[in-house]
Amino acid sequence: MCGIIGYIGEKRVSGILMNGLKRMEYRGYDSAGLSIIENDRIKTIKKKGKVSELENLVDHSAVSATIGIAHTRWATHGFPNDINAHPHHDNSNSISIVHNGIIENYSSLKTKLKSDGYTFYSDTDTEVLAVFIGSIYEKVKDLESAVRLALREVDGTFGLLVLSTHEPEKIIAARRGSPLLLGVGNNEYLIASDAAAVIQYTKQVIYFNDNEICTISKDGYHIKTIDNEEAAPIIEEIEFDLEHIEKGGFDHFMLKEIFEQPETIFDAFRGRLLIDEGDVKLGGLRTIMESLRDANRIIITACGTSYHSGLVGEYMIESLAGIPVEVEYASEFRYRNPIIGKNDVVFSISQSGETADTLAAVKEAKKKGATVMGIVNVVGSSIARETHGGIYIHAGPEIGVASTKAFTSQITVLSLIALMLGRMKKLSKYEGQLIAKELINIPEKIKQILELTDEIKIIANKYSNARNFLYLGRGYNFPVALEGALKLKEISYIHAEGYPAAEMKHGPIALIDENMPVVVIATKDEIYEKVFSNIEEVRARKGKVITIANIGDEKIRDVSDHVIYIPETIPLLTPLLTVVPLQLLSYYIALNLNCDIDKPRNLAKSVTVE
Ligand code: AGP
């Protein structure tokens, strides 16, 4: 949600902090701030708005400090304004903190601290934590102990950095439920919620575990648990390079990521497909092969776009392996006391690996004794670490808040799982080979779709002023209709709904008139004729029909205002193709409307609050 960064070393800190904030801005962008120590005093600058607003206030030439912390915020407690922006101070102005997460018992702590005479200036839970740490420091006179003792009393989640003039050559970092890593450089250390913020300086990182606290000075670091036991940190190497988190000539990360899909899909199946055997090898599932074969049911939990890919996975696994699959919003799963049987296997899908609802669902399923596997993009993320095992989708960093390449990589991995389970059950080697061979063709077919950009721009120009959109699809393409609608809503703020095409006549058809663009996915499969009839129903009510159809389908022109022709594939893999024109359509509509495509209003890339 928020992004935090700290630096301690020999370089001037302000540029490094600002650079880190810019790289993490996709995590939250309603305010930003930093604290440094200079001339034995904490200097804090913070400002409502994007990181660029803060940048305008920082005079790098006047800053010689080599230690500091910074934050980019997505508001949870308190409006986005200058006062609520981080960092927050204790009452003596000698302790400054940045925090990602939520202090759930902040209200009772605040009442107690107020009755002890402490004062508060902001509406945030973070300021309560700063003042609380300060109040303990007054008694123990040791910064690490003060932080540790405070955190023992705190309910909730935190990725936390603490800077203090009491011990001006240290940063204290702590983690519970919010991502945090230590970048280990040459005579310098960076602590951040995101590898993207440190990679320019070092690729060597330590991912903190929950309930760890680390004291960092120029000379080294020391990690313990909050219970004061020694931890055993492991240094790992960041898997991606700097170029992966830069726009590389594209106007927006979202467009770059849409265009990366031929490669990212390839990376998702690379080394995993056994073409000759018509089978799949997934090392991350090795330990649960028997549980999977004997599974009575598979439960998939996820949120947003990842939930939509889970729905595609449901169709795939049920069709190839005949195992019943249920897909649940992670946010609902946890709170409805789900029934999980001994032979059920749970898959959690998450791009970021940090989504609080999904993480909570993982913990709930584990508590109930389930085997829980992750399908995750970000290496070392909380969900990747919390699950019993799983599969990385290898899509590389996804910076655009609207998820695109992660969706197609998740579907690719789900198709591998479905194929593997199918081969363990009823699918013949021959059928397996057909699917495997077709999957290999998908990147090339996506390249062909990406060449349709000019056509899609023309359609976008025509409908950019529409206030509502409907998206219709059936079977494998019903979740794609949901995803198409979500993409449009997120980045252009146009109201859009996705429906199974046949459901339209049970209600949404009342909305259709000459002002309603209806995007219909009508690729050639066994329900093509039914979808064709659904299009006729839209036409009869004067709706404007934009159809995604297969090359060669001339008949569909007669019932469509616009047709986007895409290559044919087997029904199982169509979502990998049909979603691409929908991503582009949303992108160009949002561009016409001058929307902030990579940082849509009110959204954050990873939603680390429930
Ligand atoms: C997608 O475009 C969204 N920004 C959002 O729905 C996202 O998919 C959801 O928050 C889940 O995120 P995750 O995959 O990182 O868990």
Side-chain angles (χ1 to χ4, degrees):
M1 217 83 200
C2 309
I4 61 180
I5 178 164
Y7 174 85
I8 182 162
E10 287 163 359
K11 300 188 184 117
R12 285 179 179 224
V13 75
S14 58
I16 294 172
L17 295 181
M18 290 308 302
N19 205 3
L21 289 185
K22 283 181 208 153
R23 296 213 185 276
M24 287 187 298
E25 198 175 12
Y26 71 105
R27 301 182 74 95
Y29 35 86
D30 61 41
S31 53
L34 57 82
S35 284
I36 54 172
I37 295 185
E38 206 153 48
N39 303 326
D40 299 328
R41 292 187 53 209
I42 290 185
K43 184 172 174 192
T44 293
I45 310 172
K46 51 190 194 172
K47 186 75 189 144
K48 177 184 172 199
K50 302 238 161 81
V51 170
S52 54
E53 305 275 337
L54 177 69
E55 175 87 86
N56 292 338
L57 302 178
V58 180
D59 177 2
H60 294 292
S61 61
V63 177
S64 57
T66 56
I67 181 168
I69 56 176
H71 186 270
T72 175
R73 177 171 187 246
W74 186 91
T76 54
H77 287 73
F79 285 115
N81 58 29
D82 292 357
I83 293 175
N84 288 335
H86 296 214
H88 288 283
H89 292 188
D90 75 330
N91 273 187
S92 69
N93 271 331
S94 42
I95 294 176
S96 176
I97 74 171
V98 291
H99 165 226
N100 179 13
I102 287 192
I103 306 302
E104 285 166 5
N105 57 339
Y106 83 103
S107 178
S108 55
L109 289 172
K110 191 171 184 174
T111 308
K112 167 84 176 57
L113 288 162
K114 269 185 173 171
S115 72
D116 291 344
Y118 292 95
T119 313
F120 294 89
Y121 302 93
S122 78
D123 307 318
T124 65
D125 52 338
T126 301
E127 188 188 18
V128 175
L129 182 56
V131 173
F132 189 38
I133 293 171
S135 72
I136 298 175
Y137 183 86
E138 286 168 23
K139 292 171 208 134
V140 299
K141 303 288 182 205
D142 176 73
L143 191 61
E144 188 192 306
S145 305
V147 175
R148 173 178 299 109
L149 292 169
L151 294 181
R152 282 190 194 164
E153 302 295 313
V154 155
D155 297 330
T157 55
F158 46 81
L160 176 73
L161 300 182
V162 183
L163 188 70
S164 174
T165 50
H166 296 309
E167 297 177 28
E169 294 189 342
K170 281 181 189 165
I171 292 175
I172 312 284
R175 173 201 156 126
R176 182 192 296 157
S178 286
L180 199 63
L181 56 88
L182 175 69
V184 181
N186 286 333
N187 301 323
E188 61 183 2
Y189 296 94
L190 294 107
I191 319 98
S193 42
D194 199 312
V198 311
I199 192 166
Q200 189 171 344
Y201 309 97
T202 178
K203 288 188 98 177
Q204 308 294 310
V205 292
I206 295 168
Y207 295 97
F208 292 117
N209 291 310
D210 273 351
N211 292 312
E212 281 182 350
I213 182 164
C214 178
T215 300
I216 307 127
S217 70
K218 248 186 253 176
D219 306 322
Y221 58 89
H222 189 179
I223 306 178
K224 293 188 204 166
T225 69
I226 285 171
D227 293 329
N228 216 6
E229 282 161 14
E230 290 296 324
I234 302 167
I235 297 187
E236 297 177 48
E237 175 141 335
I238 298 173
E239 275 190 351
F240 58 87
D241 297 310
L242 193 56
E243 69 192 54
H244 291 118
I245 52 167
E246 299 195 320
K247 284 193 200 141
F250 286 88
D251 288 339
H252 294 95
F253 281 110
M254 181 180 177
L255 192 62
K256 178 188 174 219
E257 287 157 7
I258 291 172
F259 273 79
E260 279 174 356
Q261 290 176 112
E263 292 87 55
T264 49
I265 288 176
F266 178 77
D267 287 343
F269 66 67
R270 185 161 49 111
R272 292 168 166 171
L273 269 181
L274 308 170
I275 308 279
D276 291 343
E277 284 119 272
D279 210 336
V280 168
K281 186 182 70 197
L282 293 170
L285 300 186
R286 206 182 45 244
T287 53
I288 62 151
M289 290 307 259
E290 271 178 35
S291 313
L292 275 172
R293 197 184 40 233
D294 301 337
N296 285 340
R297 191 171 60 141
I298 288 174
I299 300 169
I300 299 177
T301 75
C303 301
T305 289
S306 299
Y307 171 81
H308 296 156
S309 73
L311 291 175
V312 176
E314 175 182 21
Y315 283 91
M316 289 173 158
I317 295 170
E318 290 193 345
S319 133
L320 295 191
I323 303 173
V325 179
E326 275 174 39
V327 190
E328 295 232 26
Y329 281 118
S331 51
E332 290 297 310
F333 180 79
R334 180 186 179 194
Y335 288 107
R336 63 174 198 82
N337 197 14
I339 298 162
I340 301 175
K342 171 158 96 19
N343 290 338
D344 291 346
V345 174
V346 175
F347 279 92
S348 282
I349 308 177
S350 175
Q351 185 288 126
S352 61
E354 301 295 346
T355 301
D357 288 320
T358 312
L359 185 59
V362 168
K363 290 182 178 162
E364 179 68 22
K366 278 174 75 181
K367 204 165 80 192
K368 297 210 145 141
T371 302
V372 188
M373 292 283 138
I375 299 175
V376 172
N377 191 31
V378 178
V379 176
S381 57
S382 301
I383 293 171
R385 294 150 77 82
E386 188 67 40
T387 41
H388 294 114
I391 306 164
Y392 282 120
I393 63 171
H394 296 312
E398 192 181 61
I399 312 281
V401 167
S403 183
T404 52
K405 63 175 181 174
F407 179 70
T408 46
S409 294
Q410 288 164 348
I411 291 177
T412 305
V413 163
L414 285 159
S415 75
L416 297 178
I417 295 173
L419 177 52
M420 188 191 78
L421 293 176
R423 291 289 284 117
M424 284 158 82
K425 298 274 189 176
K426 55 174 191 167
L427 204 70
S428 69
K429 179 172 164 181
Y430 175 69
E431 289 168 306
Q433 284 169 336
L434 288 184
I435 295 168
K437 282 184 188 152
E438 183 52 21
L439 189 52
I440 287 178
N441 293 331
I442 292 291
E444 214 37 60
K445 292 184 178 181
I446 292 188
K447 282 187 191 157
Q448 288 177 44
I449 299 172
L450 293 171
E451 281 166 19
L452 303 176
T453 301
D454 287 340
E455 264 175 57
I456 294 172
K457 269 186 204 168
I458 294 170
I459 302 173
N461 292 344
K462 190 144 187 191
Y463 295 102
S464 292
N465 291 324
R467 292 316 309 143
N468 299 287
F469 266 74
L470 276 186
Y471 285 74
L472 304 178
R474 296 182 79 153
Y476 287 109
N477 284 311
F478 157 54
V480 178
L482 297 178
E483 176 60 9
L486 178 65
K487 286 289 88 75
L488 188 70
K489 273 186 274 215
E490 281 189 295
I491 60 167
S492 71
Y493 320 138
I494 295 173
H495 173 244
E497 298 295 338
Y499 279 98
E503 270 299 300
M504 180 189 60
K505 57 185 176 294
H506 298 289
I509 200 165
L511 296 168
I512 294 176
D513 62 15
E514 66 278 13
N515 297 316
M516 176 69 88
V518 183
V519 180
V520 190
I521 306 163
T523 44
K524 282 279 163 91
D525 56 22
E526 60 200 16
I527 40 177
Y528 170 80
E529 294 301 338
K530 305 272 181 214
V531 178
F532 197 91
S533 308
N534 299 139
I535 298 178
E536 303 262 31
E537 290 155 13
V538 175
R539 292 281 289 180
R541 276 125 194 123
K542 300 202 174 96
K544 299 283 178 275
V545 178
I546 303 160
T547 312
I548 314 297
N550 285 131
I551 294 168
D553 182 356
E554 290 305 319
K555 176 174 131 183
I556 206 107
R557 272 194 208 281
D558 300 339
V559 291
S560 309
D561 293 272
H562 310 272
V563 186
I564 302 170
Y565 281 114
I566 64 169
E568 210 163 326
T569 183
I570 53 174
L572 181 96
L573 301 177
T574 41
L576 291 170
L577 302 187
T578 51
V579 76
V580 179
L582 305 192
Q583 295 167 342
L584 288 168
L585 185 64
S586 307
Y587 175 83
Y588 285 109
I589 289 176
L591 193 67
N592 285 342
L593 296 174
N594 271 326
C595 294
D596 194 345
I597 292 178
D598 283 335
K599 300 190 218 64
R601 71 181 181 207
N602 303 340
L603 295 179
K605 183 64 184 165
S606 55
V607 184
T608 52
V609 291
E610 284 185 55

